[in-house]
Amino acid sequence: MSLMRDDVAHRPARSWNPLTLALLASLWLATASNWPLWRSLLDLPENSGGHGLLFAAGFAAMVASLTFVLLALLAWRRSVKPAIAFFLVSAAACAHFMGSYGVVIDPTMMTNVVQTNATETRDLLSLRLLLSVVLLAGVPMLWLLRLPLQRLGWAGQARRNLLGVAGGLAVLAALVFALFADLSSTMRNHKQIRYQISPLNAFYSSAALLRAAQASPGGPPSPIGLDARLMPPAVASRPPLFLLVVGETARADRFALNGYGRPTNPRLSTLDVVSFRDVTSCGTSTAASLPCMFSHLGRGGFGARQQDHEDLLDLAQRVGLAVLWIDNQSGCKGLCERVPKVHASEGAPPGLCIDGECLDEALLHGLDDRLAALPAERRARGVLLVMHQMGSHGPAYWRRSPADGKPFQPECETNALQQCDVQALGNAYDNSIVYTDRVLAGAIDWLKRQRSTFEPTMLYVSDHGESLGEKGLYLHGLPYSVAPREQTHVPMIVWTASPQRTQCLAALRDQPLSHDHLFHSVAGALGIRAAEYRADLDLFAACRAP
Ligand SMILES: [Zn+2]
């Protein structure tokens, strides 16, 4: 009897499974520990009112699910309490720095943390930091860490934890699906938000730093076209002048030339151009598409590559052609590193640029001088000019067309796209296409004036498309495998100085084509032959004769 009584007296009132502790800690972390995140999220103009509160609540549930998935992996008898303590203290410190200094914890900030010196550290260690750690980490730890834990055995706990992970992922997936429109727009318009989710921001940024530190130095890309040679020009004594216009965020189906119901190509439709109607992009973002477009490998080969190679520009330069990259964006993603380059804002007339951001007509400014400044002996062999457009870069589509080039009204004038009327959003976007039409027609006008010296050709192709609210999606950048056609169906337009060649190209108008054709078509048109060149991907191969 006494034994039994003793047993009852010493049996804990209740023992807790490690997974339950993980769940409770996740809820605390997602709510209290993330107060700076909720403050920022609710401060966004698009999150005012009930809709914003609902979205913030759903976002909190997402953060809780994600945190729970991570903690569930660590929810073992011996590890769950140290893991929770680590999460709580990390989050409390992040909350303090984000809340007090308005910073976000991204890899750059993490670099600062790692490189900070003792004086700076002392300056940052304040009473408020201590208060934050005590309130946000100390209080829950006092309670959580004293709770007795269940002994389920290895297999039983593993089964539970796996169920926990699966459940957490399922809830997360359901929430992402339900809130996708708000979520994608918020993440694109306010990239910093993702670096305010603590302590995941600190973990992610630390991992990113470690990965960067471990990455091999890389070295120069492996050369291509070591055997490259130039064919004699098809037109005697006139070297090729190839203008490649790299479009931005343009959708093929918004071009009147491709059958769109609105007059978005008022200028190009009066010119003798060929618009290829079935062209697929290599990626769904600038960073993914651009290097792939200028590579000889094509989408499949580029994705599977073991090392970086030189690009089309290197090849053109190697065979002795003059190359110039004119940028009207933030850069060329490493493509133009080894060739002459200039930013469109340099020397642009007033009115086209505000704070260094220019309308695309700045690309056309001073072209004669830019051409003349290229080495004469290279010019004599041929020229490859690349213009990198601002195009239809979102979400501020209304900024992509000048006041005198907005035929479609009214325009959506906010970055919170999901709050705009579909029609107004379409108007702003279509105006950017009309402006691209003007820029391309202007480029063709300029090319026509070079005919006494050169054999000119223009090829325009966009890097990727854009979602404009279809299926609740906005902007671009979805993983390729799930990206809708709107994000990968891109316009491609060619103008040549020869009506016969243009007519020949028109036969390919409805053929399925892709960015894979770009390298080989440009190289082919410039008369470059090399081991990497593939005639079967050269649009101009069958239309060589003038
Ligand atoms: Zn892009």
Side-chain angles (χ1 to χ4, degrees):
M1 280 303 282
S2 78
L3 235 173
M4 255 183 81
R5 217 174 28 240
D6 197 46
D7 197 30
V8 169
H10 281 93
R11 201 173 65 200
R14 185 179 170 192
S15 63
W16 295 67
N17 188 275
L19 197 63
T20 315
L21 251 62
L23 179 64
L24 293 173
S26 306
L27 293 174
W28 178 266
L29 284 161
T31 51
S33 302
N34 265 296
W35 68 265
L37 169 66
W38 308 124
R39 189 182 63 181
S40 312
L41 206 62
L42 291 172
D43 272 355
L44 297 178
E46 60 263 43
N47 285 339
S48 57
H51 180 86
L53 269 179
L54 209 64
F55 171 63
F59 197 72
M62 272 185 239
V63 173
S65 312
L66 190 57
T67 312
F68 175 65
V69 167
L70 291 180
L71 278 176
L73 294 169
L74 304 166
W76 305 88
R77 238 179 86 76
R78 285 176 191 281
S79 60
V80 72
K81 288 180 179 179
I84 288 176
F86 184 63
F87 274 55
L88 285 170
V89 172
S90 307
C94 288
H96 165 71
F97 288 113
M98 292 191 299
S100 302
Y101 301 104
V103 300
V104 299
I105 313 295
D106 63 359
T108 316
M109 181 58 60
M110 222 55 195
T111 311
N112 296 339
V113 171
V114 171
Q115 292 172 354
T116 195
N117 63 34
T119 326
E120 285 169 335
T121 310
R122 201 181 51 220
D123 291 346
L124 290 171
L125 296 176
S126 63
L127 213 61
R128 289 185 54 150
L129 172 60
L130 190 68
L131 195 68
S132 179
V133 171
V134 166
L135 282 180
L136 291 175
V139 171
M141 269 159 68
L142 266 183
W143 181 68
L144 278 175
L145 302 189
R146 287 169 58 200
L147 296 176
L149 291 176
Q150 254 176 18
R151 286 174 186 276
L152 269 193
W154 187 89
Q157 192 62 47
R159 204 162 35 240
R160 269 211 192 190
N161 291 359
L162 275 179
L163 273 176
V165 169
L169 288 176
V171 171
L172 184 64
L175 286 165
V176 168
F177 186 77
L179 298 171
F180 196 84
D182 284 315
L183 189 66
S184 61
S185 158
T186 302
M187 286 302 175
R188 291 303 294 249
N189 291 338
H190 312 285
K191 285 200 169 75
Q192 76 283 5
I193 290 282
R194 75 189 63 182
Y195 294 117
Q196 288 183 289
I197 304 172
S198 66
L200 307 182
N201 52 359
F203 299 166
Y204 169 83
S205 302
S206 308
L209 271 197
L210 276 178
R211 204 173 47 231
Q214 282 177 347
S216 59
S222 85
I224 62 168
L226 292 174
D227 65 333
R229 62 190 194 284
L230 267 184
M231 306 292 282
V235 184
S237 80
R238 276 199 285 151
L241 166 57
F242 199 101
L243 172 60
L244 172 57
V245 183
V246 180
E248 178 59 60
T249 316
R251 276 170 64 151
D253 64 348
R254 295 299 184 115
F255 278 63
L257 288 173
N258 297 336
Y260 186 45
R262 301 177 109 181
T264 49
N265 297 123
R267 298 275 314 269
L268 287 178
S269 54
T270 66
L271 297 170
D272 192 14
V273 297
V274 182
S275 183
F276 300 93
R277 293 173 169 176
D278 188 4
V279 183
T280 303
S281 69
C282 184
T284 64
S285 68
T286 310
S289 277
L290 240 55
C292 176
M293 290 164 78
F294 283 79
S295 160
H296 65 285
L297 296 168
R299 197 173 106 74
F302 191 79
R305 75 194 185 287
Q306 298 293 318
Q307 63 190 94
D308 285 331
H309 295 268
E310 288 181 349
D311 58 57
L312 177 62
L313 308 180
D314 298 304
L315 178 65
Q317 185 155 268
R318 174 154 296 138
V319 292
L321 300 173
V323 179
L324 178 63
W325 178 287
I326 310 174
D327 209 280
N328 193 29
Q329 270 202 41
S330 49
C332 65
K333 309 286 171 196
L335 291 171
C336 61
E337 232 141 68
R338 297 164 294 276
V339 302
K341 54 194 159 288
V342 62
H343 196 273
S345 61
E346 291 171 37
L352 280 178
C353 304
I354 300 169
D355 298 334
E357 189 177 288
C358 304
L359 286 163
D360 278 333
E361 276 172 299
L363 288 164
L364 305 178
H365 194 76
L367 278 181
D368 289 333
D369 293 340
R370 285 186 170 147
L371 186 63
L374 297 172
E377 72 283 4
R378 286 184 174 269
R379 258 188 296 142
R381 295 186 201 106
V383 180
L384 172 57
L385 276 185
V386 184
M387 291 181 181
H388 189 201
Q389 266 197 304
M390 190 55 110
S392 305
H393 198 289
Y397 307 118
W398 81 96
R399 292 215 180 105
R400 306 292 163 243
S401 54
D404 68 343
K406 296 178 179 293
F408 306 116
Q409 294 293 339
E411 286 189 305
C412 165
E413 290 189 9
T414 165
N415 286 347
L417 302 180
Q418 72 277 34
Q419 288 187 350
C420 258
D421 169 59
V422 175
Q423 188 68 35
L425 182 61
N427 288 341
Y429 184 84
D430 288 346
N431 286 335
S432 75
I433 302 293
V434 173
Y435 186 58
T436 286
D437 178 84
R438 184 202 285 190
V439 171
L440 294 179
I444 292 171
D445 286 344
W446 177 75
L447 286 174
K448 284 179 176 170
R449 295 199 292 275
Q450 313 306 316
R451 276 148 98 175
S452 54
T453 323
F454 293 102
E455 180 62 21
T457 306
M458 184 200 77
L459 189 153
Y460 159 79
V461 64
S462 183
D463 60 347
H464 52 77
E466 186 85 325
S467 283
L468 292 168
E470 296 88 358
K471 308 173 191 86
L473 298 175
Y474 293 89
L475 304 165
H476 55 264
L478 270 193
Y480 201 85
S481 52
V482 299
R485 184 74 174 138
E486 291 84 20
Q487 296 190 17
T488 58
H489 184 199
V490 289
M492 183 162 85
I493 295 167
V494 168
W495 173 86
T496 82
S498 147
Q500 292 85 350
R501 198 176 309 146
T502 303
Q503 200 180 4
C504 173
L505 286 167
L508 299 171
R509 198 171 56 194
D510 294 307
Q511 293 260 323
L513 303 170
S514 75
H515 277 163
D516 287 10
H517 290 82
L518 190 64
F519 176 96
H520 307 281
S521 301
V522 178
L526 285 167
I528 302 172
R529 296 296 177 272
E532 289 82 4
Y533 166 77
R534 280 178 57 184
D536 61 319
L537 292 175
D538 179 354
L539 294 173
F540 302 100
C543 305
R544 203 68 77 197

